[in-house]
Amino acid sequence: MTATVIDGKAFAATVRGKVAEHVTRLKEVHGITPGLAVVLVGEDPASQVYVRSKGKMTAEVGMNSYEHKLDVDTSEEALLALIDQLNNDPAVHGILVQLPLPDHLDSDLVINSIDPAKDVDGFHISNVGLLGTGQKSMVPCTPLGCLMMLRDHLGSLSGLNAVVVGRSNIVGKPMAQLLLGDSCTVTIAHSRTKDLPAVVRQADIVVAAVGRPQMIPGDWIKPGATVIDVGINRIEKPEGGTRLVGDVDYDSCAAVAGAITPVPGGVGPMTIACLLANTVTACSRANGLKEPEGLTA
Ligand code: NAP
């Protein structure tokens, strides 16, 4: 079998198109422009790239983008004061604090100071609790993107065996909650899991979020399974230079799976698209308006 390639780049463009349509409606019918504030502390090069592309795509879908770049030695007090100001600004519907923060700042404290209704990353403890109890919440962007691709490709996920490899708070755990919400039978595997190959072989859906290049080979994959590769790892090429690979060994998995996301061009582009989707959802909720369909869990 040769797997169908799930084109995350194209799907993300479709999601951004839906967001843009909804933004136009909010502006024309209700006179509201959704606004996303992104806060970056310090000059981490990767974070700077992410923040730049978030700002560009926010503007492209017609939303207001507010960037707050703070010095690396910004005090916790100053950062919390800025978040308080954004929480109280009616033009700001979504707030994202780019992680990781410098070591002297307490990430949990900072994230939990964001108004949960504006927490478009879905990391606030209230949103984690709401998701865990099946209530309406802001859903973390990367797992939301994975769920959208799975629903689009498979239709109903009900009753399918899903194995999530990785138990981080930003990917693995919320991914498992979302799959459970769609009535999958969910296993969360991690570094202490016994006989991981046998666990993964049970899966109709494999979500790999490990951070280890090409760790999952094709002979762990049940024939016909759907493989979602969240990993983004840079490796050396034999001929020099580097390239990006995922957490699954793409060629051997694609030979067995029914469908697979490539790296790059799979999960990655969906993350920013879902950030924009969350912002438009937050804006609609804040104004007591109907949420856009198909853009939330
Ligand atoms: P993380 O916080 O480092 O978590 C990695 C998880 O993998 C942990 O739960 C760890 O288990 C587990 N693990 C490590 N080695 C393992 C092994 N040998 N066998 C089984 N499980 C193992 O990573 P993350 O933040 O979730 O990110 C995972 C990957 O996704 C990274 O490559 C990251 O770059 C990528 N990512 C991509 C996007 C995107 O937009 N596409 C977004 C976020 C992250 P323990 O808990 O037992 O240590």
Side-chain angles (χ1 to χ4, degrees), residues 50 123 141-143 146 164-173 188-193 196 208-213 215-216 220 229-234 245-247 263 266-272:
Y50 288 137
F123 296 157
C141 304
T142 299
C146 296
V164 180
V165 190
R167 57 174 163 179
S168 72
N169 289 336
I170 62 167
V171 188
K173 284 179 196 158
I188 308 178
H190 46 79
S191 66
R192 310 292 170 88
T193 297
L196 185 60
V210 188
R212 288 179 181 264
M215 190 192 89
I216 298 179
W220 293 16
D229 191 351
V230 182
I232 302 178
N233 311 287
R234 194 166 281 284
V245 296
D247 289 342
V263 177
V267 175
M270 287 298 289
T271 298
I272 295 186

mmCIF file of all heavy atoms in Angstrom, residues 50 123 141-143 146 164-173 188-193 196 208-213 215-216 220 229-234 245-247 263 266-272, ligand 1:
data_model
loop_
_atom_site.group_PDB
_atom_site.id
_atom_site.type_symbol
_atom_site.label_atom_id
_atom_site.label_comp_id
_atom_site.label_asym_id
_atom_site.label_seq_id
_atom_site.Cartn_x
_atom_site.Cartn_y
_atom_site.Cartn_z
ATOM 1 N N TYR A 50 8.685 32.724 14.198
ATOM 2 C CA TYR A 50 7.274 32.359 14.421
ATOM 3 C C TYR A 50 6.406 33.603 14.570
ATOM 4 O O TYR A 50 5.338 33.702 13.978
ATOM 5 C CB TYR A 50 7.123 31.513 15.698
ATOM 6 C CG TYR A 50 7.652 30.103 15.606
ATOM 7 C CD1 TYR A 50 8.385 29.549 16.650
ATOM 8 C CD2 TYR A 50 7.398 29.313 14.487
ATOM 9 C CE1 TYR A 50 8.880 28.249 16.583
ATOM 10 C CE2 TYR A 50 7.902 28.019 14.423
ATOM 11 C CZ TYR A 50 8.636 27.497 15.466
ATOM 12 O OH TYR A 50 9.118 26.225 15.396
ATOM 13 N N PHE A 123 -3.582 27.159 26.648
ATOM 14 C CA PHE A 123 -2.700 26.594 27.677
ATOM 15 C C PHE A 123 -3.115 26.975 29.096
ATOM 16 O O PHE A 123 -2.541 26.465 30.067
ATOM 17 C CB PHE A 123 -1.236 27.048 27.457
ATOM 18 C CG PHE A 123 -0.626 26.563 26.165
ATOM 19 C CD1 PHE A 123 0.450 27.236 25.591
ATOM 20 C CD2 PHE A 123 -1.104 25.422 25.517
ATOM 21 C CE1 PHE A 123 1.029 26.787 24.406
ATOM 22 C CE2 PHE A 123 -0.524 24.972 24.329
ATOM 23 C CZ PHE A 123 0.539 25.660 23.770
ATOM 24 N N CYS A 141 -3.518 24.856 19.568
ATOM 25 C CA CYS A 141 -3.568 24.945 18.095
ATOM 26 C C CYS A 141 -3.038 23.700 17.371
ATOM 27 O O CYS A 141 -3.647 23.249 16.393
ATOM 28 C CB CYS A 141 -2.761 26.157 17.646
ATOM 29 S SG CYS A 141 -3.333 27.681 18.407
ATOM 30 N N THR A 142 -1.914 23.155 17.828
ATOM 31 C CA THR A 142 -1.340 22.024 17.080
ATOM 32 C C THR A 142 -2.256 20.794 17.137
ATOM 33 O O THR A 142 -2.590 20.226 16.090
ATOM 34 C CB THR A 142 0.087 21.716 17.594
ATOM 35 O OG1 THR A 142 0.895 22.883 17.387
ATOM 36 C CG2 THR A 142 0.704 20.536 16.878
ATOM 37 N N PRO A 143 -2.710 20.367 18.326
ATOM 38 C CA PRO A 143 -3.641 19.226 18.326
ATOM 39 C C PRO A 143 -4.967 19.523 17.613
ATOM 40 O O PRO A 143 -5.529 18.629 16.977
ATOM 41 C CB PRO A 143 -3.877 18.934 19.808
ATOM 42 C CG PRO A 143 -3.068 19.875 20.584
ATOM 43 C CD PRO A 143 -2.289 20.752 19.680
ATOM 44 N N CYS A 146 -4.363 18.836 14.062
ATOM 45 C CA CYS A 146 -4.312 17.376 13.807
ATOM 46 C C CYS A 146 -5.730 16.810 13.755
ATOM 47 O O CYS A 146 -6.056 16.002 12.878
ATOM 48 C CB CYS A 146 -3.527 16.669 14.910
ATOM 49 S SG CYS A 146 -1.799 17.136 15.009
ATOM 50 N N VAL A 164 -1.354 8.023 20.849
ATOM 51 C CA VAL A 164 -0.617 9.284 20.839
ATOM 52 C C VAL A 164 0.725 9.006 21.483
ATOM 53 O O VAL A 164 0.780 8.573 22.644
ATOM 54 C CB VAL A 164 -1.375 10.375 21.636
ATOM 55 C CG1 VAL A 164 -0.589 11.693 21.618
ATOM 56 C CG2 VAL A 164 -2.783 10.577 21.092
ATOM 57 N N VAL A 165 1.805 9.188 20.740
ATOM 58 C CA VAL A 165 3.130 8.959 21.315
ATOM 59 C C VAL A 165 3.688 10.312 21.753
ATOM 60 O O VAL A 165 3.969 11.172 20.914
ATOM 61 C CB VAL A 165 4.082 8.263 20.322
ATOM 62 C CG1 VAL A 165 5.363 7.830 21.051
ATOM 63 C CG2 VAL A 165 3.417 7.054 19.677
ATOM 64 N N GLY A 166 3.786 10.502 23.066
ATOM 65 C CA GLY A 166 4.183 11.793 23.644
ATOM 66 C C GLY A 166 3.081 12.291 24.562
ATOM 67 O O GLY A 166 1.903 12.168 24.232
ATOM 68 N N ARG A 167 3.477 12.814 25.724
ATOM 69 C CA ARG A 167 2.489 13.243 26.720
ATOM 70 C C ARG A 167 2.741 14.672 27.184
ATOM 71 O O ARG A 167 2.557 15.004 28.355
ATOM 72 C CB ARG A 167 2.499 12.284 27.915
ATOM 73 C CG ARG A 167 3.854 12.160 28.569
ATOM 74 C CD ARG A 167 3.789 11.320 29.836
ATOM 75 N NE ARG A 167 5.114 10.882 30.234
ATOM 76 C CZ ARG A 167 5.368 10.152 31.311
ATOM 77 N NH1 ARG A 167 4.394 9.773 32.097
ATOM 78 N NH2 ARG A 167 6.602 9.776 31.596
ATOM 79 N N SER A 168 3.215 15.529 26.259
ATOM 80 C CA SER A 168 3.451 16.921 26.668
ATOM 81 C C SER A 168 2.121 17.644 26.869
ATOM 82 O O SER A 168 1.083 17.234 26.331
ATOM 83 C CB SER A 168 4.283 17.661 25.616
ATOM 84 O OG SER A 168 3.509 17.912 24.473
ATOM 85 N N ASN A 169 2.202 18.743 27.633
ATOM 86 C CA ASN A 169 0.980 19.527 27.878
ATOM 87 C C ASN A 169 0.525 20.268 26.630
ATOM 88 O O ASN A 169 -0.648 20.607 26.509
ATOM 89 C CB ASN A 169 1.234 20.546 28.998
ATOM 90 C CG ASN A 169 1.356 19.867 30.339
ATOM 91 O OD1 ASN A 169 0.837 18.764 30.550
ATOM 92 N ND2 ASN A 169 2.056 20.502 31.259
ATOM 93 N N ILE A 170 1.461 20.535 25.704
ATOM 94 C CA ILE A 170 1.055 21.344 24.548
ATOM 95 C C ILE A 170 0.594 20.501 23.367
ATOM 96 O O ILE A 170 -0.145 20.985 22.527
ATOM 97 C CB ILE A 170 2.146 22.347 24.105
ATOM 98 C CG1 ILE A 170 3.415 21.639 23.653
ATOM 99 C CG2 ILE A 170 2.475 23.331 25.205
ATOM 100 C CD1 ILE A 170 4.359 22.589 22.924
ATOM 101 N N VAL A 171 1.024 19.238 23.307
ATOM 102 C CA VAL A 171 0.592 18.401 22.176
ATOM 103 C C VAL A 171 -0.069 17.097 22.651
ATOM 104 O O VAL A 171 -1.261 16.878 22.437
ATOM 105 C CB VAL A 171 1.745 18.065 21.194
ATOM 106 C CG1 VAL A 171 1.188 17.368 19.956
ATOM 107 C CG2 VAL A 171 2.534 19.293 20.781
ATOM 108 N N GLY A 172 0.711 16.217 23.275
ATOM 109 C CA GLY A 172 0.233 14.860 23.552
ATOM 110 C C GLY A 172 -1.053 14.811 24.363
ATOM 111 O O GLY A 172 -2.039 14.172 23.955
ATOM 112 N N LYS A 173 -1.056 15.475 25.530
ATOM 113 C CA LYS A 173 -2.249 15.370 26.403
ATOM 114 C C LYS A 173 -3.496 15.988 25.766
ATOM 115 O O LYS A 173 -4.548 15.341 25.743
ATOM 116 C CB LYS A 173 -1.967 16.000 27.768
ATOM 117 C CG LYS A 173 -1.106 15.119 28.662
ATOM 118 C CD LYS A 173 -0.857 15.837 29.990
ATOM 119 C CE LYS A 173 0.273 15.219 30.753
ATOM 120 N NZ LYS A 173 0.841 16.169 31.725
ATOM 121 N N ILE A 188 -2.126 6.768 25.504
ATOM 122 C CA ILE A 188 -1.036 7.753 25.480
ATOM 123 C C ILE A 188 0.255 7.024 25.826
ATOM 124 O O ILE A 188 0.383 6.473 26.920
ATOM 125 C CB ILE A 188 -1.262 8.891 26.501
ATOM 126 C CG1 ILE A 188 -2.646 9.522 26.322
ATOM 127 C CG2 ILE A 188 -0.166 9.942 26.360
ATOM 128 C CD1 ILE A 188 -2.948 10.631 27.333
ATOM 129 N N ALA A 189 1.182 7.004 24.884
ATOM 130 C CA ALA A 189 2.472 6.344 25.111
ATOM 131 C C ALA A 189 3.537 7.413 25.398
ATOM 132 O O ALA A 189 3.377 8.569 25.027
ATOM 133 C CB ALA A 189 2.853 5.534 23.890
ATOM 134 N N HIS A 190 4.609 6.995 26.068
ATOM 135 C CA HIS A 190 5.671 7.939 26.436
ATOM 136 C C HIS A 190 6.965 7.165 26.619
ATOM 137 O O HIS A 190 7.038 5.979 26.268
ATOM 138 C CB HIS A 190 5.267 8.715 27.696
ATOM 139 C CG HIS A 190 4.702 7.844 28.764
ATOM 140 N ND1 HIS A 190 5.496 7.085 29.582
ATOM 141 C CD2 HIS A 190 3.409 7.550 29.086
ATOM 142 C CE1 HIS A 190 4.723 6.378 30.383
ATOM 143 N NE2 HIS A 190 3.445 6.636 30.106
ATOM 144 N N SER A 191 7.966 7.824 27.195
ATOM 145 C CA SER A 191 9.296 7.200 27.223
ATOM 146 C C SER A 191 9.353 5.964 28.119
ATOM 147 O O SER A 191 10.280 5.168 28.006
ATOM 148 C CB SER A 191 10.344 8.226 27.670
ATOM 149 O OG SER A 191 10.112 8.595 29.014
ATOM 150 N N ARG A 192 8.391 5.777 29.013
ATOM 151 C CA ARG A 192 8.404 4.595 29.891
ATOM 152 C C ARG A 192 7.470 3.486 29.398
ATOM 153 O O ARG A 192 7.311 2.467 30.065
ATOM 154 C CB ARG A 192 7.983 4.972 31.307
ATOM 155 C CG ARG A 192 8.719 6.158 31.895
ATOM 156 C CD ARG A 192 10.189 5.810 32.150
ATOM 157 N NE ARG A 192 10.930 7.024 32.500
ATOM 158 C CZ ARG A 192 11.047 7.494 33.730
ATOM 159 N NH1 ARG A 192 10.506 6.855 34.732
ATOM 160 N NH2 ARG A 192 11.736 8.587 33.971
ATOM 161 N N THR A 193 6.819 3.710 28.266
ATOM 162 C CA THR A 193 5.878 2.703 27.749
ATOM 163 C C THR A 193 6.624 1.407 27.426
ATOM 164 O O THR A 193 7.685 1.426 26.792
ATOM 165 C CB THR A 193 5.185 3.248 26.475
ATOM 166 O OG1 THR A 193 4.429 4.393 26.854
ATOM 167 C CG2 THR A 193 4.267 2.217 25.836
ATOM 168 N N LEU A 196 6.708 -0.427 23.056
ATOM 169 C CA LEU A 196 6.068 0.612 22.242
ATOM 170 C C LEU A 196 5.685 0.129 20.839
ATOM 171 O O LEU A 196 4.574 0.432 20.365
ATOM 172 C CB LEU A 196 6.984 1.845 22.185
ATOM 173 C CG LEU A 196 6.436 3.078 21.480
ATOM 174 C CD1 LEU A 196 5.157 3.591 22.128
ATOM 175 C CD2 LEU A 196 7.487 4.192 21.447
ATOM 176 N N ALA A 208 2.303 11.071 16.315
ATOM 177 C CA ALA A 208 3.661 11.042 16.859
ATOM 178 C C ALA A 208 4.074 12.441 17.270
ATOM 179 O O ALA A 208 4.152 13.343 16.432
ATOM 180 C CB ALA A 208 4.623 10.493 15.807
ATOM 181 N N ALA A 209 4.297 12.648 18.566
ATOM 182 C CA ALA A 209 4.720 13.956 19.092
ATOM 183 C C ALA A 209 5.807 13.720 20.119
ATOM 184 O O ALA A 209 5.605 13.842 21.319
ATOM 185 C CB ALA A 209 3.547 14.711 19.698
ATOM 186 N N VAL A 210 6.973 13.324 19.618
ATOM 187 C CA VAL A 210 8.051 12.832 20.471
ATOM 188 C C VAL A 210 9.257 13.777 20.481
ATOM 189 O O VAL A 210 9.906 13.962 21.516
ATOM 190 C CB VAL A 210 8.516 11.431 19.980
ATOM 191 C CG1 VAL A 210 9.492 10.812 20.966
ATOM 192 C CG2 VAL A 210 7.344 10.508 19.748
ATOM 193 N N GLY A 211 9.584 14.327 19.316
ATOM 194 C CA GLY A 211 10.784 15.159 19.217
ATOM 195 C C GLY A 211 12.039 14.336 18.996
ATOM 196 O O GLY A 211 13.122 14.751 19.360
ATOM 197 N N ARG A 212 11.861 13.131 18.402
ATOM 198 C CA ARG A 212 13.022 12.287 18.069
ATOM 199 C C ARG A 212 12.950 11.950 16.577
ATOM 200 O O ARG A 212 11.985 11.304 16.137
ATOM 201 C CB ARG A 212 13.009 10.986 18.864
ATOM 202 C CG ARG A 212 13.336 11.229 20.307
ATOM 203 C CD ARG A 212 13.295 9.941 21.093
ATOM 204 N NE ARG A 212 13.601 10.231 22.480
ATOM 205 C CZ ARG A 212 14.813 10.115 23.013
ATOM 206 N NH1 ARG A 212 15.809 9.677 22.294
ATOM 207 N NH2 ARG A 212 15.006 10.418 24.271
ATOM 208 N N PRO A 213 13.992 12.381 15.824
ATOM 209 C CA PRO A 213 13.915 12.250 14.366
ATOM 210 C C PRO A 213 13.682 10.811 13.899
ATOM 211 O O PRO A 213 14.412 9.912 14.300
ATOM 212 C CB PRO A 213 15.267 12.787 13.867
ATOM 213 C CG PRO A 213 16.111 13.020 15.077
ATOM 214 C CD PRO A 213 15.219 13.060 16.263
ATOM 215 N N MET A 215 11.825 8.349 14.546
ATOM 216 C CA MET A 215 11.881 7.279 15.547
ATOM 217 C C MET A 215 10.959 6.104 15.223
ATOM 218 O O MET A 215 11.244 4.960 15.564
ATOM 219 C CB MET A 215 11.505 7.849 16.918
ATOM 220 C CG MET A 215 11.763 6.889 18.046
ATOM 221 S SD MET A 215 11.021 7.408 19.600
ATOM 222 C CE MET A 215 9.411 6.670 19.492
ATOM 223 N N ILE A 216 9.814 6.396 14.592
ATOM 224 C CA ILE A 216 8.822 5.327 14.377
ATOM 225 C C ILE A 216 8.962 4.762 12.963
ATOM 226 O O ILE A 216 8.717 5.455 11.974
ATOM 227 C CB ILE A 216 7.401 5.880 14.621
ATOM 228 C CG1 ILE A 216 7.291 6.338 16.088
ATOM 229 C CG2 ILE A 216 6.330 4.836 14.262
ATOM 230 C CD1 ILE A 216 5.951 6.925 16.481
ATOM 231 N N TRP A 220 6.182 -0.661 12.607
ATOM 232 C CA TRP A 220 5.347 -0.450 13.796
ATOM 233 C C TRP A 220 3.915 -0.078 13.385
ATOM 234 O O TRP A 220 3.039 0.051 14.248
ATOM 235 C CB TRP A 220 5.864 0.710 14.647
ATOM 236 C CG TRP A 220 7.175 0.518 15.323
ATOM 237 C CD1 TRP A 220 8.131 -0.424 15.067
ATOM 238 C CD2 TRP A 220 7.695 1.326 16.384
ATOM 239 N NE1 TRP A 220 9.211 -0.254 15.890
ATOM 240 C CE2 TRP A 220 8.980 0.811 16.708
ATOM 241 C CE3 TRP A 220 7.226 2.432 17.083
ATOM 242 C CZ2 TRP A 220 9.780 1.374 17.709
ATOM 243 C CZ3 TRP A 220 8.015 2.997 18.075
ATOM 244 C CH2 TRP A 220 9.286 2.462 18.386
ATOM 245 N N ASP A 229 2.146 13.107 11.853
ATOM 246 C CA ASP A 229 3.506 13.325 12.363
ATOM 247 C C ASP A 229 3.660 14.779 12.810
ATOM 248 O O ASP A 229 3.735 15.692 11.989
ATOM 249 C CB ASP A 229 4.509 12.998 11.241
ATOM 250 C CG ASP A 229 5.934 12.930 11.756
ATOM 251 O OD1 ASP A 229 6.179 13.299 12.915
ATOM 252 O OD2 ASP A 229 6.814 12.496 10.973
ATOM 253 N N VAL A 230 3.706 14.967 14.132
ATOM 254 C CA VAL A 230 3.805 16.330 14.683
ATOM 255 C C VAL A 230 5.266 16.795 14.749
ATOM 256 O O VAL A 230 5.552 17.984 14.770
ATOM 257 C CB VAL A 230 3.161 16.389 16.091
ATOM 258 C CG1 VAL A 230 3.201 17.804 16.663
ATOM 259 C CG2 VAL A 230 1.716 15.903 16.053
ATOM 260 N N GLY A 231 6.177 15.852 14.752
ATOM 261 C CA GLY A 231 7.588 16.169 14.993
ATOM 262 C C GLY A 231 8.181 17.134 13.983
ATOM 263 O O GLY A 231 7.858 17.096 12.791
ATOM 264 N N ILE A 232 9.036 18.006 14.487
ATOM 265 C CA ILE A 232 9.831 18.883 13.607
ATOM 266 C C ILE A 232 11.265 18.780 14.108
ATOM 267 O O ILE A 232 11.594 19.296 15.187
ATOM 268 C CB ILE A 232 9.376 20.363 13.678
ATOM 269 C CG1 ILE A 232 7.895 20.507 13.296
ATOM 270 C CG2 ILE A 232 10.252 21.226 12.774
ATOM 271 C CD1 ILE A 232 7.370 21.933 13.404
ATOM 272 N N ASN A 233 12.094 18.065 13.355
ATOM 273 C CA ASN A 233 13.482 17.848 13.783
ATOM 274 C C ASN A 233 14.411 18.188 12.621
ATOM 275 O O ASN A 233 14.124 17.836 11.473
ATOM 276 C CB ASN A 233 13.710 16.369 14.149
ATOM 277 C CG ASN A 233 12.642 15.833 15.097
ATOM 278 O OD1 ASN A 233 12.630 16.162 16.268
ATOM 279 N ND2 ASN A 233 11.727 15.005 14.580
ATOM 280 N N ARG A 234 15.495 18.850 12.950
ATOM 281 C CA ARG A 234 16.471 19.183 11.905
ATOM 282 C C ARG A 234 17.619 18.183 11.979
ATOM 283 O O ARG A 234 18.188 17.983 13.056
ATOM 284 C CB ARG A 234 16.968 20.619 12.115
ATOM 285 C CG ARG A 234 17.708 21.183 10.940
ATOM 286 C CD ARG A 234 17.873 22.678 11.036
ATOM 287 N NE ARG A 234 16.687 23.429 10.663
ATOM 288 C CZ ARG A 234 16.261 23.625 9.415
ATOM 289 N NH1 ARG A 234 16.920 23.095 8.392
ATOM 290 N NH2 ARG A 234 15.167 24.319 9.173
ATOM 291 N N VAL A 245 12.899 16.720 9.348
ATOM 292 C CA VAL A 245 12.201 15.424 9.318
ATOM 293 C C VAL A 245 11.256 15.364 10.511
ATOM 294 O O VAL A 245 11.393 16.122 11.474
ATOM 295 C CB VAL A 245 13.171 14.215 9.377
ATOM 296 C CG1 VAL A 245 14.068 14.167 8.151
ATOM 297 C CG2 VAL A 245 14.007 14.226 10.659
ATOM 298 N N GLY A 246 10.326 14.439 10.443
ATOM 299 C CA GLY A 246 9.369 14.268 11.529
ATOM 300 C C GLY A 246 9.824 13.238 12.534
ATOM 301 O O GLY A 246 10.998 12.845 12.585
ATOM 302 N N ASP A 247 8.867 12.773 13.339
ATOM 303 C CA ASP A 247 9.138 11.746 14.348
ATOM 304 C C ASP A 247 8.914 10.339 13.786
ATOM 305 O O ASP A 247 9.192 9.355 14.462
ATOM 306 C CB ASP A 247 8.225 11.951 15.568
ATOM 307 C CG ASP A 247 8.623 13.181 16.372
ATOM 308 O OD1 ASP A 247 9.756 13.668 16.203
ATOM 309 O OD2 ASP A 247 7.795 13.657 17.172
ATOM 310 N N VAL A 263 6.500 15.920 6.554
ATOM 311 C CA VAL A 263 7.220 16.979 7.274
ATOM 312 C C VAL A 263 8.344 17.445 6.355
ATOM 313 O O VAL A 263 9.167 16.629 5.944
ATOM 314 C CB VAL A 263 7.826 16.453 8.600
ATOM 315 C CG1 VAL A 263 8.635 17.561 9.282
ATOM 316 C CG2 VAL A 263 6.744 15.941 9.532
ATOM 317 N N GLY A 266 2.883 19.245 6.662
ATOM 318 C CA GLY A 266 1.767 18.501 7.244
ATOM 319 C C GLY A 266 1.139 19.285 8.374
ATOM 320 O O GLY A 266 0.385 20.234 8.163
ATOM 321 N N VAL A 267 1.507 18.886 9.601
ATOM 322 C CA VAL A 267 0.923 19.511 10.801
ATOM 323 C C VAL A 267 1.366 20.977 10.942
ATOM 324 O O VAL A 267 0.574 21.836 11.348
ATOM 325 C CB VAL A 267 1.330 18.714 12.063
ATOM 326 C CG1 VAL A 267 0.849 19.398 13.326
ATOM 327 C CG2 VAL A 267 0.785 17.281 11.980
ATOM 328 N N GLY A 268 2.626 21.253 10.598
ATOM 329 C CA GLY A 268 3.207 22.580 10.832
ATOM 330 C C GLY A 268 2.320 23.731 10.353
ATOM 331 O O GLY A 268 1.958 24.600 11.152
ATOM 332 N N PRO A 269 1.933 23.758 9.064
ATOM 333 C CA PRO A 269 1.125 24.887 8.573
ATOM 334 C C PRO A 269 -0.238 25.000 9.254
ATOM 335 O O PRO A 269 -0.824 26.079 9.294
ATOM 336 C CB PRO A 269 0.937 24.568 7.081
ATOM 337 C CG PRO A 269 1.966 23.557 6.736
ATOM 338 C CD PRO A 269 2.312 22.823 7.986
ATOM 339 N N MET A 270 -0.731 23.881 9.798
ATOM 340 C CA MET A 270 -2.052 23.914 10.449
ATOM 341 C C MET A 270 -2.016 24.676 11.775
ATOM 342 O O MET A 270 -3.039 25.189 12.231
ATOM 343 C CB MET A 270 -2.555 22.492 10.717
ATOM 344 C CG MET A 270 -3.002 21.752 9.476
ATOM 345 S SD MET A 270 -4.392 22.553 8.679
ATOM 346 C CE MET A 270 -5.706 22.201 9.849
ATOM 347 N N THR A 271 -0.827 24.738 12.401
ATOM 348 C CA THR A 271 -0.771 25.341 13.737
ATOM 349 C C THR A 271 -1.142 26.829 13.688
ATOM 350 O O THR A 271 -1.980 27.294 14.466
ATOM 351 C CB THR A 271 0.621 25.108 14.359
ATOM 352 O OG1 THR A 271 0.797 23.694 14.499
ATOM 353 C CG2 THR A 271 0.744 25.744 15.735
ATOM 354 N N ILE A 272 -0.539 27.579 12.767
ATOM 355 C CA ILE A 272 -0.869 29.017 12.686
ATOM 356 C C ILE A 272 -2.303 29.195 12.187
ATOM 357 O O ILE A 272 -3.040 30.064 12.671
ATOM 358 C CB ILE A 272 0.140 29.797 11.813
ATOM 359 C CG1 ILE A 272 1.516 29.780 12.474
ATOM 360 C CG2 ILE A 272 -0.332 31.253 11.624
ATOM 361 C CD1 ILE A 272 2.578 30.629 11.787
HETATM 362 P P1 NAP B 1 8.197 17.289 24.525
HETATM 363 O O1 NAP B 1 7.567 18.233 25.474
HETATM 364 O O2 NAP B 1 9.686 17.141 24.507
HETATM 365 O O3 NAP B 1 7.533 15.849 24.767
HETATM 366 C C1 NAP B 1 8.029 14.709 24.127
HETATM 367 C C2 NAP B 1 7.285 13.496 24.580
HETATM 368 O O4 NAP B 1 7.804 12.373 23.891
HETATM 369 C C3 NAP B 1 7.394 13.227 26.073
HETATM 370 O O5 NAP B 1 6.141 12.917 26.614
HETATM 371 C C4 NAP B 1 8.341 12.029 26.142
HETATM 372 O O6 NAP B 1 8.036 11.117 27.180
HETATM 373 C C5 NAP B 1 8.053 11.347 24.826
HETATM 374 N N1 NAP B 1 9.219 10.553 24.418
HETATM 375 C C6 NAP B 1 10.501 10.938 24.367
HETATM 376 N N2 NAP B 1 11.272 9.911 23.966
HETATM 377 C C7 NAP B 1 10.461 8.863 23.772
HETATM 378 C C8 NAP B 1 10.652 7.521 23.379
HETATM 379 N N3 NAP B 1 11.864 7.048 23.088
HETATM 380 N N4 NAP B 1 9.586 6.712 23.301
HETATM 381 C C9 NAP B 1 8.348 7.174 23.579
HETATM 382 N N5 NAP B 1 8.084 8.442 23.948
HETATM 383 C C10 NAP B 1 9.143 9.273 24.057
HETATM 384 O O7 NAP B 1 7.803 17.618 23.018
HETATM 385 P P2 NAP B 1 6.512 18.382 22.398
HETATM 386 O O8 NAP B 1 6.587 19.812 22.753
HETATM 387 O O9 NAP B 1 5.272 17.607 22.657
HETATM 388 O O10 NAP B 1 6.896 18.268 20.855
HETATM 389 C C11 NAP B 1 7.028 17.015 20.195
HETATM 390 C C12 NAP B 1 7.497 17.241 18.776
HETATM 391 O O11 NAP B 1 6.518 18.005 18.089
HETATM 392 C C13 NAP B 1 8.796 18.034 18.637
HETATM 393 O O12 NAP B 1 9.504 17.561 17.496
HETATM 394 C C14 NAP B 1 8.321 19.444 18.379
HETATM 395 O O13 NAP B 1 9.263 20.214 17.637
HETATM 396 C C15 NAP B 1 7.094 19.177 17.556
HETATM 397 N N6 NAP B 1 6.069 20.238 17.597
HETATM 398 C C16 NAP B 1 5.550 20.636 16.416
HETATM 399 C C17 NAP B 1 4.556 21.585 16.375
HETATM 400 C C18 NAP B 1 3.979 21.983 15.056
HETATM 401 O O14 NAP B 1 3.433 23.046 14.920
HETATM 402 N N7 NAP B 1 4.033 21.107 14.057
HETATM 403 C C19 NAP B 1 4.085 22.151 17.561
HETATM 404 C C20 NAP B 1 4.610 21.708 18.777
HETATM 405 C C21 NAP B 1 5.612 20.733 18.789
HETATM 406 P P3 NAP B 1 8.242 11.461 28.753
HETATM 407 O O15 NAP B 1 7.095 12.365 29.109
HETATM 408 O O16 NAP B 1 8.164 10.138 29.402
HETATM 409 O O17 NAP B 1 9.569 12.134 28.859
#
